[in-house]
Amino acid sequence: MAAIGARIRLVACAIAFMVFAAVIPVMAQQPNSVDPNADAVKEQTLLQQMKRIQGLGTIPDVKSYVIAQPMGRGWRQFREGWLPWIGAIAILGMLALLVIFYLWRGVVRMESGRSGVTVVRFNLFERFVHWMTATCFIILALSGLNITFGKRVLLPLVGSTAFSSWSLAAKYAHNFLSFPFALGVISIFAMWLSGNIPNRVDVEWFKRGGGMVGDDHPPAYRFNGGQKAVYWIVVLGGTAVAVSGYLLMFPFYGTNIANMQLAQVIHSVVAVLFIAVMLAHIYIGTIGMEGAFEAMGEGVVDLNWAKEHHSLWVEQEQVRLEGSELRRQPAE
Ligand code: HEM
């Protein structure tokens, strides 16, 4: 019995020794096996696992205690992911459509040729307001697009020094030119409102494709259906970018972080769609239609151009001018 007991003790000791021998090196290796890049210490994983990361602070601005919040992450995804795609598709898509249209339709010519007689279309004040607003718009568009695309497109091409100098200047331009731009939008609204109320003539104009297909000339008053659409896009789009832009420019004046995110989404999406529409407006006012640029350049158009594109307006003008002629006669 004593011999059996001694043998059991011996086997138990041997097993204990073997287990010890196997475990000690594992224990000894443990500190080295901690991976410093493990998930638990990765910031991104931490942010994903915790919906909201908020701390305590000593400055009065309690908003600054929030480091991350779910809606902020959604907004960042829009700002870095969706927005560049929406912008690129809208702007490059419009450019592609205009090239295709130009190749297919060519320049819309003055069919009856020039008459040599001109009609006043826009006075000096109207042209001043138009060009002030247009110049501001182009600079706002380029400086705004730099905020959306500059880091991806321009920075690799020009390097960080040139990019930062240009971006600083662009940002100043974006802030300061917003004021004449907003003034221009208000003036355009007031100045051309009476000529831009939609009516039945516009429905007919749209039904006939604005005369763009073939050599059709649907009648129109001073502004045709397409021009009225551009007017309302400028007035409503201009108001939307101005209101959202000033909310961004003066952060947290009556807004919280959710309102600020919404303002950025509205500002950027309306802006890129606005740019796309204005490209079409610039196309038709320059290379797209013979005789159109003169209206805003010199303020006058050829009578035949006016008859082809704004026949009802020409009739109204003739009546108005004859009326003033008649009014002048008794005084003579
Ligand atoms: C009253 C007029 C406007 C005001 C007050 C305004 C203001 C602002 C402000 C404060 C920002 C943010 C800048 C920053 O993040 O540092 C911004 C961004 C931007 N603006 Fe304007 N803006 C105006 C008009 C326009 C117009 C007319 C356009 C385009 C035609 C435009 C296009 C953009 C674009 C594309 C961005 C960048 C959006 C982004 O990527 O986050 N803005 N604007």
Side-chain angles (χ1 to χ4, degrees):
M1 234 8 223
I4 293 173
R7 256 184 221 167
I8 290 173
R9 270 198 303 277
L10 188 69
V11 171
C13 277
I15 290 171
F17 179 77
M18 278 174 353
V19 168
F20 219 66
V23 165
I24 286 215
V26 172
M27 284 168 70
Q29 280 166 14
Q30 205 106 59
N32 296 334
S33 70
V34 174
D35 177 1
N37 295 319
D39 277 355
V41 291
K42 269 193 191 158
E43 191 194 352
Q44 197 52 36
T45 313
L46 193 70
L47 287 173
Q48 273 157 8
Q49 281 167 2
M50 295 180 72
K51 280 206 156 48
R52 190 180 179 86
I53 302 176
Q54 189 168 350
L56 290 174
T58 49
I59 57 168
D61 181 10
V62 287
K63 290 187 304 297
S64 66
Y65 304 171
V66 180
I67 295 166
Q69 42 107 9
M71 218 182 130
R73 262 170 246 155
W75 171 76
R76 188 174 55 188
Q77 207 174 359
F78 161 80
R79 173 67 180 69
E80 297 301 309
W82 287 96
L83 176 61
W85 279 106
I86 296 171
I89 291 170
I91 295 169
L92 298 179
M94 179 57 86
L95 283 174
L97 282 178
L98 291 172
V99 170
I100 293 167
F101 184 75
Y102 179 76
L103 294 175
W104 170 68
R105 173 66 172 85
V107 178
V108 178
R109 297 261 172 225
M110 240 183 273
E111 243 184 278
S112 39
R114 286 186 184 268
S115 67
V117 178
T118 54
V119 188
V120 176
R121 184 136 171 90
F122 294 113
N123 66 31
L124 192 64
F125 178 73
E126 289 175 305
R127 280 179 285 143
F128 169 75
V129 170
H130 174 272
W131 287 118
M132 177 187 76
T133 318
T135 310
C136 292
F137 180 88
I138 292 168
I139 300 173
L140 286 164
L142 293 175
S143 54
L145 289 177
N146 184 56
I147 299 169
T148 314
F149 295 103
K151 198 175 58 181
R152 294 175 177 89
V153 179
L154 207 56
L155 176 62
L157 294 177
V158 299
S160 54
T161 313
F163 181 68
S164 65
S165 311
W166 144 250
S167 296
L168 185 66
K171 179 61 187 139
Y172 274 120
H174 203 88
N175 282 3
F176 286 105
L177 290 181
S178 71
F179 297 101
F181 172 77
L183 190 68
V185 170
I186 294 167
S187 309
I188 284 175
F189 169 69
M191 183 167 86
W192 289 330
L193 175 65
S194 63
N196 280 287
I197 309 292
N199 56 32
R200 248 181 279 141
V201 174
D202 305 323
V203 178
E204 185 59 25
W205 188 90
F206 276 113
K207 273 192 195 158
R208 287 163 64 173
M212 285 290 158
V213 187
D215 294 322
D216 190 15
H217 293 298
Y221 286 102
R222 188 180 184 200
F223 297 114
N224 62 36
Q227 289 171 316
K228 288 183 184 180
V230 170
Y231 169 87
W232 286 108
I233 287 169
V234 168
V235 169
L236 300 176
T239 306
V241 286
V243 171
S244 57
Y246 288 123
L247 291 177
L248 293 174
M249 205 188 287
F250 301 102
F252 302 115
Y253 280 85
T255 47
N256 57 24
I257 191 84
N259 304 147
M260 288 291 296
Q261 286 166 354
L262 185 64
Q264 192 278 338
V265 172
I266 292 174
H267 191 80
S268 54
V269 172
V270 173
V272 291
L273 298 179
F274 203 173
I275 294 169
V277 172
M278 285 300 117
L279 286 175
H281 171 73
I282 293 167
Y283 166 80
I284 206 72
T286 54
I287 53 170
M289 181 183 277
E290 186 186 5
F293 189 81
E294 295 153 33
M296 228 14 118
E298 294 140 44
V300 292
V301 287
D302 192 274
L303 182 61
N304 282 352
W305 181 93
K307 280 182 180 167
E308 283 178 17
H309 301 294
H310 298 273
S311 55
L312 300 172
W313 173 66
V314 173
E315 283 170 23
Q316 280 179 326
E317 283 297 280
Q318 274 165 349
V319 169
R320 195 174 65 85
L321 292 174
E322 276 165 23
S324 63
E325 208 62 50
L326 288 175
R327 267 199 307 277
R328 247 190 286 139
Q329 274 172 7
E332 281 167 5

